[in-house]
Amino acid sequence: MRIRPPPAQQGPTRWTRSHKGAAWLVLGFALTAALLTAVGIWYRLEGQGLVRSLVRGVSPQADVSANGLPVVHLEIGREAYEVLEEQWRGAVQRGILQLDEPDWLPARIRLGDKEIPAVLWLEGDGADLWHADKWPFRVRIGDGATILGMRAFSLHSPAAHGYLNTWFYVESLREAGLLAPRYTFVNVAVNGEDRGIYALQESPSKELFESQKRSEGIVVRLGYSALWRGQDPLDAAEHGLPDLSTDPAATGLGLPALARVDESYAIQVETDPTWSEQAVTALGLLRAFSSQRLTASEVFDAPQMGRYIAHANLWGTRGGSTWHSERFAYNPVTSRLEPLGYDVVPHVSGQAHPLDLAPYDDLAIMEAYSQEAWRISRPEHLAGLRSSLVEEIGRYTAALAQEFAPSELELPWDTLSSRQRALSSALVPPQTVHAYQGGDPQAGNAPSSALEIRVGNLLRYPVV
């Protein structure tokens, strides 16, 4: 009979294997955590774009929506998004967005297969900010790339910019050879969320000038945020500004010190001596005009300025009387400023508010104005624009009608026709001046060889 040896004691062996298993388990968890951390860092720095492109290759997102407009995708990180949300809430509470300087925040932008880094900030006035789902953005693209041929642009709700009216006004300026940005409509998605249709307007940049075959020049304007601060007496006092709420004489041309370089050229001015010198020249011209040290034709390109005023009167943009919203481009060839039809919304409902032409009491500018006003007051002017843009009018109207009321999308043909007649009548008035003999010819006995004639201008325009 075989006798088996007694079984070995298993207690110590089980204890040792249990501890070894726990150690391997802890080590496995640590390695997994480290690997996940490394993958996360790589994804944020480099892999995000690669993974998205691979995903799009399997299941591409729509780049043209059902309304036929291109889709612009904005990807904004959590921290940047929270900053934008706080700014928007503060702007809605105060009734105006006030930022001392653009608060550029990082983002990524995609259109089609092109995804590139960008920076953006919240931009707009009160009208732009009431639309909770349509924050207004100013976008600048990096890496020397462009979207729709543009490197810098703004995105606003069409409702804040007159629906189709601003687009049509800008097209009329470009047709007339006046500086104006490209303007179109797109769908916007923010972090994958559909925000609907936006109006996309090109910002001052090299591409804007190139699109109209012009030499790029620095863009200057009055300090927009400073003017808005002046509407609040306490805020105005804090920043050493005049109180515009109680001193209307301090507005507009009375504030030459507020002239500044448009933020689109801030970096060039800071880093490039050539741009810095051009900025000094352009700002000097604008301030000299606002303080009446130089005449209008010594500061502005007379043909461009006169023609621009004519279009502003037709469309009721009131650019000359509320010119804090106007921008002027310095032409390095002519050494003059040219009006830039950027960020100006036409007023096509109700009575027109013609420009105050007194600051432009200059024969060369008024001659250009009268010639252009006569041209665009002819019925064939609007008929020609309507014919040349008929396809785009139909496409944009159909697209926007899916989101906005059709009554808001009707172009103001009747209003413009009425203003055309008013422009034409103003150019051929029944009487331009009132003249009469001054003094009392019966007074005194001594004969006089002097004849006193008093003349008064009955028009808003200067008369020779």
Side-chain angles (χ1 to χ4, degrees), residues 353-371:
H353 297 278
L355 287 160
D356 179 12
L357 297 178
Y360 309 101
D361 187 357
D362 186 286
L363 183 60
I365 289 180
M366 287 299 102
E367 182 179 5
Y369 166 81
S370 62
Q371 292 177 355

Side-chain angles (χ1 to χ4, degrees), residues 133-214:
D133 59 338
K134 288 186 184 291
W135 293 352
F137 297 106
R138 173 77 76 91
V139 182
R140 182 184 294 169
I141 298 172
D143 290 350
T146 61
I147 290 289
L148 298 175
M150 305 175 219
R151 182 168 50 90
F153 52 86
S154 59
L155 292 164
H156 297 81
S157 169
H161 278 211
Y163 301 97
L164 290 171
N165 294 333
T166 299
W167 164 76
F168 195 48
Y169 170 63
V170 166
E171 290 297 323
S172 71
L173 292 181
R174 291 174 66 90
E175 180 271 340
L178 296 165
L179 275 175
R182 286 171 285 186
Y183 197 102
T184 187
F185 297 95
V186 297
N187 299 285
V188 173
V190 178
N191 293 343
E193 179 186 358
D194 181 18
R195 295 295 180 95
I197 299 175
Y198 271 70
L200 185 153
Q201 180 175 224
E202 185 176 19
S203 299
S205 63
K206 179 181 69 173
E207 289 75 17
L208 186 155
F209 290 92
E210 289 178 346
S211 70
Q212 293 186 265
K213 298 180 173 58
R214 308 284 275 278

Side-chain angles (χ1 to χ4, degrees), residues 256-277:
L258 296 183
R260 59 176 294 179
V261 172
D262 188 80
E263 61 272 358
S264 299
Y265 289 87
I267 296 178
Q268 290 95 317
V269 172
E270 293 177 0
T271 59
D272 191 326
T274 301
W275 281 104
S276 178
E277 181 179 350

Side-chain angles (χ1 to χ4, degrees), residues 278-411:
Q278 191 178 120
V280 171
T281 302
L283 289 174
L285 288 172
L286 187 58
R287 289 166 179 160
F289 172 68
S290 63
S291 61
Q292 300 180 5
R293 290 185 287 110
L294 290 178
T295 65
S297 60
E298 290 175 318
V299 172
F300 300 107
D301 182 296
Q304 291 283 319
M305 196 68 194
R307 291 161 55 210
Y308 180 80
I309 294 173
H311 286 264
N313 267 349
L314 177 63
W315 286 87
T317 61
R318 302 185 63 191
S321 58
T322 56
W323 76 314
H324 63 267
S325 60
E326 293 284 355
R327 287 167 171 80
F328 303 92
Y330 178 74
N331 188 325
V333 178
T334 64
S335 300
R336 294 289 189 273
L337 298 178
E338 295 184 26
L340 173 60
Y342 171 76
D343 202 22
V344 179
V345 180
H347 298 273
V348 292
S349 60
Q351 184 179 0
H353 297 278
L355 287 160
D356 179 12
L357 297 178
Y360 309 101
D361 187 357
D362 186 286
L363 183 60
I365 289 180
M366 287 299 102
E367 182 179 5
Y369 166 81
S370 62
Q371 292 177 355
E372 186 71 359
W374 184 260
R375 183 184 77 86
I376 65 176
S377 66
R378 303 295 89 200
E380 51 268 25
H381 169 66
L382 286 181
L385 279 176
R386 191 171 191 168
S387 176
S388 64
L389 298 172
V390 62
E391 292 185 5
E392 290 177 278
I393 292 173
R395 181 162 59 93
Y396 288 151
T397 300
L400 269 65
Q402 298 182 23
E403 186 173 334
F404 303 100
S407 59
E408 302 286 0
L409 307 178
E410 297 177 1
L411 287 169

Side-chain angles (χ1 to χ4, degrees), residues 9-79:
Q9 298 292 328
Q10 301 297 320
T13 303
R14 286 197 299 270
W15 184 90
T16 302
R17 288 180 180 174
S18 173
H19 279 69
K20 285 184 179 180
W24 281 110
L25 185 62
V26 171
L27 181 60
F29 275 123
L31 290 175
T32 302
L35 180 61
L36 290 175
T37 301
V39 170
I41 295 174
W42 170 82
Y43 179 79
R44 291 183 61 185
L45 295 178
E46 298 182 4
Q48 189 173 8
L50 176 61
V51 171
R52 285 180 181 168
S53 64
L54 292 175
V55 171
R56 287 199 302 268
V58 177
S59 178
Q61 301 179 39
D63 296 313
V64 177
S65 70
N67 58 26
L69 300 178
V71 182
V72 173
H73 298 269
L74 295 177
E75 296 293 336
I76 306 172
R78 185 184 65 181
E79 293 182 4

